Amino acid sequence: LTLSEEDRQGRNCFVAWCEAAGCRVTVDRLGNIFALRPGKAPDLPPIAAGSHLDTQPHGGRFDGVFGVLAALEVLRTLEDHGFRTEAPVAAVVWTNEEGARFAPSMMGSAVFAGILDLADALTTTDRGGVSVSDALEAIGYSGSAPCGGRVLGTFFEAHIEQGPLLESEGKTIGIVTGAQGMTWLEVTVTGQDAHAGTTPVDLRRDALLGAARMVDAVHGIAVHHGPEARATVGVINALPGSPNTVPGAARFSVDMRHPASATLERMVEDLRARCQRIGGKLDLETRVEQVEYTAPVSFDAGCIESIRSASDLLGYESMEIGSGAGHDACHIARVAPTGMIFVPCAAGISHNEEESADPADLEAGCNVLLHAVLERAL
Amino acid sequence: LTLSEEDRQGRNCFVAWCEAAGCRVTVDRLGNIFALRPGKAPDLPPIAAGSHLDTQPHGGRFDGVFGVLAALEVLRTLEDHGFRTEAPVAAVVWTNEEGARFAPSMMGSAVFAGILDLADALTTTDRGGVSVSDALEAIGYSGSAPCGGRVLGTFFEAHIEQGPLLESEGKTIGIVTGAQGMTWLEVTVTGQDAHAGTTPVDLRRDALLGAARMVDAVHGIAVHHGPEARATVGVINALPGSPNTVPGAARFSVDMRHPASATLERMVEDLRARCQRIGGKLDLETRVEQVEYTAPVSFDAGCIESIRSASDLLGYESMEIGSGAGHDACHIARVAPTGMIFVPCAAGISHNEEESADPADLEAGCNVLLHAVLERAL
C-alpha cells in the first residue's frame, strides 16, 4: 500500500539502484521521485519514463512496478554502454497511483499535472485518520522539490495490459492510443436503525436492502451501456454493523468507465436515477456524490509513432489498443507529449496475487521503451 | 458495548447500589453479576429478576438496562419497607446479551443454562482479536463463582417491548407467553479479484454482485414466510475492499426469526437454496454457515399467571404477547421457571438512540415485577 513501510523499502531500493546507475535523485513535496541521467545538452527537457511502486491490498507484482523497473533498465543500459544522449533521460516514480489507501488514485501525477491541489492531496486521510503528509514524513519521502512546474520533453509509461486482449490476439506490444474516462462516486443510503427481531418487514427502512438493489443496478448500467462500459462496486458498509440491527445507513463506492465522455456522463445520470428510484420505493434517502472524474485521454501522435517504429524495428508483433485502466500517463498527457506501451499479462488478471507476465514479453516492453526513449532523446 | 470501559462503569454503579441496598454481590467466571438479598429461609432457591447492561453500537438506553434497574428497584423497595421474604431475592446482570461485540448474543445466560460451553465463550474474540476472557480481566469482572449450576426458584425479566404492539393497542403491560425462534448464519461468497477498469463485465466473478442479490433474496424469504417471519442482513463486507477492484470475496450475516421452529427451518433451507442458485449463475462459490440457533420458547405457565395477577391487582391494562427478540430469559427458561414482563416503547423503535419509553409505563413494569416476585418469594 502507498506510503507504507513496504513502500519505503521499495523506494529506497529504487533510489539506491538509480544512484548506482549514475543518476541524480530528487524527491518532490508529494514524494514523486525523479532520477535524472544528464544529457549532452543539459538545457533540453528530460525524456522521462516511469510508473508507480504502490499496489492494491491483494497485489499484484507487475502493475506499476514493471514500468518503474523498465525505466531503470533503460538508464542502466545507457550507463552500461557509456552512451550519452542529447537530452537528459529520467526515471520517475509517481506517488499513490492505486488510490487504495488515499483517494483519489493517480494522486502524484494529478498534482504534478495541476489537476489536483497539493494542499488537498497532503491533507487527505486514510481510514485510520493518517494524512498523506504524515505518511510521507513517516517514510522519509516528504521531499523539498516543488510538485509540478517541471518541464518533461516526453513521458513514456510501460505497463502490463491488465486485460486479456494482447494475450488472446497473440501480440507482444500494445501501442496505447488513449485511455477510457473514469469516475468515482460515493452513494450514501439512509433509513432507520431498527431491531431485527421485533420490527415487521413492511415497517422497516432498511438502508442495506436499498444499497443491495443499487449494487445490482450498477451492474445493470454496465450491461446496458455495452461491452466498453465498466461499472464496479468495490467497497460497501452497513451501519451500525450489527447482525441483529436493521441497518439505518449504508454506503458504497461506484467506479464507472467508458472511452466516450458522453456515454460516461449518461452512465452517471442513470446511476443517480436508478438509486433515487430504488431508494424512494423503500422510503430511504439517497445521496450520490461524484468524488473523482478523469476525462478520456488521447495520447500524443508523435509518441505513438515512436513506440510503433521501435516495435517494428525490433520485429515484435504489435497492435493498437485502448487502456481500460487509468494510469499516471493519462494525467501527464496534459502537460507533456505522452505515450504508453502495454505488454500482455496472464489471463488479463490484475489487482490480484495471481497477476503474472512472461519475462520475454517484459523484456520486449523494455526494449521498445529503450528505443522509443532513444529516438526522442538523441 | 459489552465488557467496554463504559460497561465497567455501569456495572460498578449497579454493584455499589446493590450493596447499599443490603445485598451480597457475587460475580461468576463469565462476569454475570448476582446481588442476593437474604430471605427468612436461606435454603430456598432465590427468586431472581434482571436483564443486561450492554447495548448495541447505536444504543438504546432502555433495552436491558430497564430490566436491571427494575430488579434493583424491587430490592430497594423491600429494603425501604424492611420487608423480609421467605425465599432470598436476587437481581441479576447477564454478560453480553447483545452479541454486537462478541457472538453469540445472550452469551452469559447461554453458559449459565448449559447451552454454550464456558471455555468456548471465554475464547471468543472480537474483530480486534480481544478475547472475552481478556476483556473480562481488563474491566475487573472475571469472577470466581462457577457459571451455571446455581438453582433459581424463578427468573423474571422486565423489558421494553422493542416493537409497536403495546403502544398501538393502548396496553401498559405485556404478559409474554414465549419468544420466537432465532438463527444466525454467515454467508461467504467467493469469486475472483479483478481490475475494475480492464475486466469486461461478462468475464467477472464479482462476489459482491452475488452477495447483493442474496441480500435482496433474504428480504424475499421474510416476505414469503408471512408477517411473523423476520430476516435481516446487518453486516456486510467486500474484499479486498478497494473502489477499483472487483471484489473476489464478500461476507454477510443473516438473522432469521419465526415463532414456529418448522417454519424457521424452512427459511434456512430457502436461504441455502436461493444463495446457491444466485451464486451458481454468477460462477461464485457460496458457503452458508449456521453459527447460532435458539429454538422458540414457551414461558412457564405459573410465572405467566403471577405476572397476570400482579397486573390485574394493580389495575393495569395488559395483553398476552409473543417476544420478537431473543432475551436472556429465553435461555434461563431451560433451567428455571421463567416469565417476562413487557412495557411499551415509543413507536417500537429499539437498537437506536431514539429508543424511548414513558416513565409511567416503566413504573408500572416495576410494580408488576415487584408483586410477581413477592407472590413467588413469600
Side-chain angles (χ1 to χ4, degrees), chain A residues 56 58 162 198 204 232 242, chain B residues 56 162 193 198 204 232 242:
Chain A
Q56 291 283 328
H58 285 192
Q162 302 181 282
T198 56
R204 296 178 179 202
T232 305
S242 178
Chain B
Q56 291 284 328
Q162 302 182 283
D193 294 355
T198 58
R204 297 180 177 200
T232 305
S242 177

Side-chain angles (χ1 to χ4, degrees), chain B residues 16-27:
Chain B
W17 284 341
C18 287
E19 287 173 345
C23 295
R24 189 170 57 81
V25 174
T26 58
V27 177

Side-chain angles (χ1 to χ4, degrees), chain A residues 237-238 240-243, chain B residues 1 56-57 99-103 124-131 186 234-237 253:
Chain A
N237 280 296
S242 178
Chain B
L1 277 181
Q56 291 284 328
R101 180 178 173 191
F102 300 101
T124 300
T125 53
D126 65 11
R127 279 162 235 179
V130 178
S131 70
E186 277 270 337
V235 179
I236 189 165
N237 281 297
S253 65

Side-chain angles (χ1 to χ4, degrees), chain A residues 14 21 37 56 77 85 88 182 251 253 329 343 371:
Chain A
F14 171 76
R37 184 172 189 270
Q56 291 283 328
T77 302
T85 51
M182 177 179 85
R251 190 175 299 171
S253 65
V343 295
H371 284 271

Side-chain angles (χ1 to χ4, degrees), chain A residues 197-280:
Chain A
T198 56
T199 317
V201 171
D202 56 349
L203 293 183
R204 296 178 179 202
R205 297 177 59 214
D206 183 341
L208 181 57
L209 176 62
R213 290 179 179 172
M214 293 172 199
V215 169
D216 200 8
V218 167
H219 172 77
I221 290 169
V223 171
H224 177 73
H225 287 277
E228 291 183 305
R230 309 276 183 269
T232 305
V233 177
V235 179
I236 189 165
N237 280 296
L239 292 174
S242 178
N244 53 356
T245 300
V246 177
R251 190 175 299 171
F252 59 95
S253 65
V254 180
D255 172 310
M256 297 205 295
R257 312 194 191 200
H258 199 279
S261 58
T263 309
L264 188 56
E265 276 162 37
R266 277 201 303 278
M267 290 169 69
V268 171
E269 284 163 23
D270 263 18
L271 177 73
R272 292 186 191 279
R274 292 192 194 203
C275 288
Q276 290 302 338
R277 195 160 59 235
I278 291 165

Side-chain angles (χ1 to χ4, degrees), chain A residues 106 114 117 126 153 206 263 331:
Chain A
M106 304 179 282
D117 195 62
D126 66 12
D206 183 341
T263 309
H331 285 334

